[in-house]
Amino acid sequence: MSWTIEGRYFYPGAARHVPARASAEPKRILRVADEEGHTLAEAPARRVKVTSRLARLMRRFDLPDGSRFETDDNDGADALLRALRKRRRGRFTDRLERAWPAVGVSLIVSLLFGYYIVVQAVPLAAEWLALKALPTVGHAMTEQTLLTLDRFALTPTQLAPADQAKAAALFHRVAAHARGAASGYRLIFRGGGRIGPNAFGLPDGTIVMTDPLWALVKNDAEIEGVFAHEMSHVDHAHQLQRIFEASLIPATIAIFTGDMSQMSQISAILPGIVVQSAYSRGFEQQADDDGAATLRRMGEKPSHMADLLERMDKKLCGKNGCPPSWIGDHPDTAARAARLRAEDKGPITPGEDCLRPWKSGISLRCLGWD
Amino acid sequence: MPDLPAQPDGAPTIHTVEFRGRGGEYFRIWIVNIALSVLTLGIYTAWAKVRTQRYFYGNTYLAGHSFEYHASAWRILIGRAIALTLFLGYSLSVVFVPLTFGIWFLILGAALPWLANTSTRFGARNTSWRNVRFNFNATYFETFIAYVVWSVAALAFFPLIPYARRVHDYFYINHHRFGGRGFETAFAARRIYFIYLFGFILIVVLLLAVIAIAGAAVEIATHVHNVFGRFSIPLGPENFSLIVLVLFGIGTAFVASFVTTLVTNLSVSNATLEGGFKLSSKASGLRVAWIVVTNALLTLATLGLFYPFGRVRLARYRMRKYALIASGNLDDFTSEALEAQSAIGQEIAGFFDLGFGL
């Protein structure tokens, strides 16, 4: 049987072309002829390279002599290939792309995968990498961070030596009950500068406490809770985890969508921030829980931490405290305080775990909506 | 569109470019690509890339003929495997032994011209129009000057950035060939300086505006919270830098698209192809920037699902503004003889996110 389709024929390696017909001849020969029926080219089907079908794209038949037949009649081209008993490569993919049910399934697969990457693969990979990298980069990172902070945000401490000695004694008491070795932590003092009342742990175990925070403390257990909280950040290498998370998500998107153009970069900013703040809320909660556990081991009440938190909040934002924030990196203060007070009676189980929502259900709070 | 021959009296014919892709169609290709890439643990990404490129090239029509992308997915896959191995080696060694960063830096610096060359040549040779292939030829030394020397100079002395950009565009366009004939572009340096200066002023104004807006937003939110207590706008003072970051990020993308479009217009509109052909690019910088930024925001609002529609939307506008002004005969082109070449350079370059091109 002979099958004919319309198209155009390009002379070998040239841009010059004429209208032409391609047909399947006996013995699996592809013949291209001009409108009058004169043969332009002939070749055995197995030596002809045919582009696979893709949307409405032109189908191209590359002949061994460098000439080419092309047609926009995709169904005709498929029939011609069938007549030539030639394999139609890429047919499966083309069918998937044209069938809406397959598109629906693909959509579900992609969304599930995206969800899996965000909630499970990235946190796990970041945690692994952070704990592995910590011994080599922890110290250098701490020095860099401190240098920058001292230059732009912090001032030298004005704390009296007696207060410093007292804080250090409390610090060592907490360190003895925390997870890391007591020698792994180091307390240093700074003036508040632009940061105000605060404390933060740096990767190598250095914990910075600002003078205005000390001024707010009314009870030893309060500042012990803060130390325990910061030690938990150090133990879990939370800072390094954030850095790895920040680069893992765009890298995965780029690999699987095959694009890192300006458009995708902008559209990655906000979700990046939302995801990052969800992760850091998870970290804060983990540190709060660990801190509460340390306090309980020391025979103190975690609710003291809640008192200090609320006082810090009022100090920063006035009598109503700070407004709740959608995308801040700390959970809402009121929610944190309530959770810490509940910790007085023992560990909260099952906890609302922002890092592993498949255990406790997806919570809008973890995404930043209270 | 019928194929118009050049007018016999020598008046040039203007052939406009047209993109015939459709958002819905590309959406289906895109989502199937992602799903298959996921199900094959990333192996399919090579085929996904070929299908995507084929779709965009094949729907771009000039004078009634579409462009075509020919790269073989197997070659791309091998390139990716090598690139991935190198990338993992790089990442892990830098994480565990930070000192190796210096060694990698030197290796990458030395390999950069080679990567740029291979990658651009691979792209050009696998592109054709009317059965005739493009080509790109540059020596290691030429590439070294254009990419490494001028980039370092521009980094060391910022006012050289526009000039370095011109060096780069000259290099990129003037080493491209089509059917054995060379492209060539040339324009006065002051024209590119003018565009960059304008962009710089826009960025400064933008930064000031963004800081003012973010300050006001936080101020208002805190005030509302203090007055109304329970009812409040959820923006704390700690969100200030975040608001600045987001607004400034969007604004910078806008200005960057604007500047890039004007520079591309300049480079392309001054380019000729041997044999009596001129190129033209007349896209509006504002329009492209608007499309890029709204695409990004819509992509964001739809969890990424708008992405393929946005890409088609941009291509439709962008392609419409390119044209070929032909005094010569389009039938006269014939392919050069080209030796086969690997995709390894291109994929390594792609993996380290080095963008070569206009």
Side-chain angles (χ1 to χ4, degrees):
Chain A
M1 137 189 175
S2 167
W3 191 280
T4 308
I5 52 169
E6 306 280 332
R8 47 193 177 192
Y9 173 80
F10 286 89
Y11 291 93
R16 198 160 69 86
H17 58 89
V18 290
R21 287 191 187 101
S23 56
E25 302 298 325
K27 292 188 182 162
R28 303 177 62 199
I29 297 283
L30 175 78
R31 176 170 170 262
V32 183
D34 65 13
E35 283 173 316
E36 279 88 52
H38 303 302
T39 301
L40 292 162
E42 258 184 347
R46 65 185 161 78
R47 298 201 51 209
V48 177
K49 273 196 198 157
V50 188
T51 56
S52 56
R53 186 167 180 166
L54 174 62
R56 295 161 293 125
L57 254 51
M58 285 276 187
R59 258 338 229 299
R60 270 132 186 167
F61 295 69
D62 281 311
L63 284 82
D65 64 351
S67 66
R68 155 188 286 185
F69 173 78
E70 69 172 30
T71 178
D72 57 3
D73 179 3
N74 265 305
D75 290 332
D78 278 337
L80 181 71
L81 290 173
R82 252 198 317 271
L84 288 166
R85 279 179 288 135
K86 192 169 166 63
R87 240 181 88 227
R88 280 163 289 153
R89 282 161 49 223
R91 198 166 60 138
F92 174 67
T93 328
D94 175 65
R95 282 210 183 146
L96 287 184
E97 287 162 357
R98 282 187 290 150
W100 282 103
V103 171
V105 171
S106 301
L107 187 61
I108 293 166
V109 167
S110 309
L111 289 176
L112 283 178
F113 174 72
Y115 179 78
Y116 168 81
I117 286 288
V118 168
V119 304
Q120 193 159 24
V122 166
L124 271 179
E127 189 176 3
W128 185 81
L129 283 169
L131 292 173
K132 289 279 170 195
L134 191 63
T136 42
V137 299
H139 191 64
M141 264 184 68
T142 303
E143 300 222 310
Q144 269 305 314
T145 316
L146 256 186
L147 215 68
T148 316
L149 283 172
D150 280 340
R151 206 157 145 202
F152 297 107
L154 296 167
T155 50
T157 180
Q158 310 277 320
L159 210 61
D163 285 334
Q164 290 198 13
K166 188 176 178 209
L170 295 175
F171 184 83
H172 288 304
R173 195 164 102 87
V174 182
H177 288 86
R179 272 216 278 164
S183 57
Y185 311 109
R186 175 171 76 112
L187 177 67
I188 60 172
F189 304 95
R190 288 291 186 274
R194 292 186 194 184
I195 290 180
N198 215 329
F200 43 88
L202 296 169
D204 75 343
T206 303
I207 287 164
V208 183
M209 184 188 83
T210 65
D211 300 349
L213 178 64
W214 183 255
L216 284 179
V217 175
K218 292 186 176 163
N219 178 316
D220 288 353
E222 293 177 359
I223 194 72
E224 285 172 346
V226 171
F227 291 151
H229 174 103
E230 297 307 330
M231 284 170 193
S232 165
H233 280 318
V234 171
D235 294 341
H236 296 289
H238 281 161
Q239 256 193 347
L240 263 179
Q241 282 195 49
R242 290 186 65 161
I243 293 173
F244 285 115
E245 280 163 354
S247 52
L248 283 171
I249 287 198
T252 322
I253 293 177
I255 290 172
F256 283 93
T257 63
D259 177 68
M260 213 50 214
S261 66
Q262 206 148 51
M263 175 174 138
S264 52
Q265 275 171 30
I266 315 171
S267 35
I269 295 178
L270 204 57
I273 291 170
V274 171
V275 167
Q276 281 262 305
S277 56
Y279 289 147
S280 7
R281 279 158 186 254
F283 292 159
E284 288 310 320
Q285 194 169 325
Q286 192 173 32
D288 275 350
D289 291 354
D290 286 352
T294 309
L295 279 189
R296 273 198 310 270
R297 273 199 297 277
M298 296 167 63
E300 312 264 17
K301 282 184 177 167
S303 55
H304 289 300
M305 268 170 85
D307 299 340
L308 182 61
L309 268 181
E310 284 170 348
R311 225 172 293 136
M312 282 167 72
D313 215 33
K314 288 214 173 69
K315 177 85 181 168
L316 274 172
C317 304
K319 66 175 161 52
N320 283 330
C322 297
S325 148
W326 274 341
I327 38 184
D329 43 17
H330 280 60
D332 185 31
T333 304
R336 272 180 83 188
R339 193 181 162 92
L340 283 167
R341 294 213 165 89
E343 291 257 11
D344 275 0
K345 297 177 199 91
I348 302 176
T349 42
E352 179 190 41
D353 190 337
C354 292
L355 285 179
R356 289 171 185 79
W358 57 93
K359 280 189 184 158
S360 54
I362 308 162
S363 134
L364 283 181
R365 208 179 72 72
C366 289
L367 289 173
W369 286 281
D370 289 47
Chain B
M1 216 200 304
D3 191 21
L4 302 169
Q7 311 290 313
D9 59 359
T13 318
I14 299 175
H15 301 281
T16 50
V17 179
E18 181 196 4
F19 183 71
R20 296 187 190 165
R22 294 175 191 157
E25 202 172 60
Y26 176 50
F27 173 81
R28 286 176 287 171
I29 294 168
W30 176 77
I31 198 76
V32 169
N33 275 344
I34 295 181
L36 290 179
S37 298
V38 166
L39 294 175
T40 57
L41 304 174
I43 292 171
Y44 189 77
T45 53
W47 280 263
K49 176 176 180 170
V50 169
R51 281 186 95 72
T52 307
Q53 295 286 75
R54 277 187 65 204
Y55 185 79
F56 277 85
Y57 284 48
N59 275 305
T60 304
Y61 283 79
L62 168 64
H65 293 269
S66 70
F67 287 83
E68 199 183 350
Y69 183 73
H70 301 268
S72 132
W74 284 104
R75 282 232 177 112
I76 293 179
L77 185 68
I78 293 167
R80 286 201 167 176
I82 295 173
L84 183 67
T85 315
L86 282 177
F87 180 72
L88 287 179
Y90 159 81
S91 315
L92 292 177
S93 66
V94 169
V95 164
F96 295 119
V97 194
L99 284 177
T100 53
F101 181 77
I103 299 166
W104 281 102
F105 189 77
L106 287 180
I107 294 177
L108 197 63
L112 191 82
W114 175 78
L115 287 175
N117 263 349
T118 336
S119 151
T120 318
R121 194 162 57 224
F122 183 79
R125 289 187 179 182
N126 280 303
T127 305
S128 74
W129 180 70
R130 283 182 67 155
N131 197 29
V132 176
R133 299 231 180 184
F134 285 80
N135 194 8
F136 178 86
N137 267 322
T139 62
Y140 179 92
F141 185 69
E142 287 166 328
T143 324
F144 184 78
I145 299 284
Y147 278 102
V148 180
V149 174
W150 276 100
S151 302
V152 170
L155 277 178
F157 186 56
F158 290 135
L160 281 178
I161 291 175
Y163 198 87
R165 175 65 196 252
R166 192 179 75 155
V167 168
H168 167 268
D169 281 13
Y170 275 19
F171 168 80
Y172 186 80
I173 292 178
N174 298 352
H175 287 92
H176 262 94
R177 300 173 73 76
F178 177 70
R181 307 184 199 190
F183 286 92
E184 183 151 17
T185 188
F187 50 88
R190 72 185 142 73
R191 299 183 67 188
I192 199 166
Y193 267 93
F194 183 73
I195 296 172
Y196 272 83
L197 185 67
F198 190 58
F200 180 71
I201 294 169
L202 280 181
I203 287 280
V204 172
V205 171
L206 178 80
L207 185 61
L208 295 176
V210 158
I211 290 174
I213 292 171
V218 168
E219 197 68 27
I220 291 169
T222 312
H223 187 72
V224 167
H225 183 66
N226 281 335
V227 172
F228 298 103
R230 278 188 65 83
F231 168 77
S232 55
I233 306 168
L235 280 178
E238 78 275 17
N239 291 144
F240 174 80
S241 56
L242 192 72
I243 304 172
V244 170
L245 185 76
V246 170
L247 291 181
F248 191 61
I250 294 171
T252 314
F254 191 91
V255 177
S257 309
F258 178 81
V259 167
T260 312
T261 308
L262 293 191
V263 171
T264 308
N265 281 350
L266 191 61
S267 299
V268 172
S269 288
N270 286 294
T272 56
L273 174 61
E274 277 176 81
F277 301 94
K278 268 181 67 59
L279 308 186
S280 135
S281 167
K282 291 189 170 159
S284 143
L286 277 181
R287 184 76 184 272
V288 171
W290 166 253
I291 294 176
V292 167
V293 168
T294 47
N295 274 353
L297 296 179
L298 284 166
T299 301
L300 182 70
T302 55
L303 291 174
L305 296 183
F306 183 77
Y307 172 80
F309 296 92
R311 219 177 136 179
V312 165
R313 176 178 170 226
L314 180 63
R316 273 180 178 261
Y317 175 74
R318 197 67 195 82
M319 289 308 160
R320 202 165 85 216
K321 296 295 173 181
Y322 283 116
L324 174 74
I325 302 154
S327 305
N329 192 338
L330 296 177
D331 279 352
D332 290 349
F333 290 103
T334 44
S335 281
E336 299 172 77
L338 305 174
E339 69 273 25
Q341 189 226 335
S342 79
I344 294 167
Q346 185 197 23
E347 284 307 317
I348 295 173
F351 230 93
F352 284 89
D353 201 20
L354 310 164
F356 301 111
L358 282 183

